[in-house]
Amino acid sequence: MSHPLGPLADNFTAYAVYATAQSEMRHAYALIDAGQYLAAAAEITSAAKAAEVLARRTELLDPERGRRWRKVALTRHRFAAHARARAAETHPLPEAA
């Protein structure tokens, strides 16, 4: 199996971005389990931005892998939006007087 970073596998900066995003996603799942949807959305959004960075750095070297990273970023942004919506459902803002 090839490394998820493909041509960037030996790039320490890219690996740090990738590893941090993976950690953020694991933390987001724990936050969701604890009902902390807004905090989870922030973690997921950060991980989505990391995927965007990896897409930009990868697409010239491996266009297909770059497209896959863009898909990961889009999926994570959608997941974050769902988490924010869930947070609004569980903790609605007070109505204006």
Side-chain angles (χ1 to χ4, degrees):
M1 182 174 143
S2 67
H3 193 281
L5 292 175
L8 298 178
D10 294 327
N11 182 307
F12 290 122
T13 302
Y15 187 78
V17 169
Y18 171 77
T20 300
Q22 293 299 94
S23 177
E24 288 169 331
M25 290 302 296
R26 284 190 296 275
H27 188 223
Y29 290 125
L31 290 167
I32 288 169
D33 286 342
Q36 297 179 23
Y37 301 105
L38 203 53
E43 293 285 323
I44 298 164
T45 297
S46 180
K49 290 177 182 178
E52 291 168 350
V53 168
L54 293 171
R56 284 193 302 273
R57 297 297 174 245
T58 304
E59 60 196 356
L60 291 177
L61 302 170
D62 185 343
E64 178 57 31
R65 193 175 304 267
R67 281 190 288 281
R68 282 184 275 175
W69 277 117
R70 291 218 179 272
K71 186 175 180 180
V72 168
L74 180 61
T75 301
R76 287 178 178 173
H77 280 299
R78 288 179 181 154
F79 188 23
H82 287 290
R84 282 189 292 278
R86 183 65 187 262
E89 290 171 6
T90 57
H91 299 290
L93 296 174
E95 292 186 28

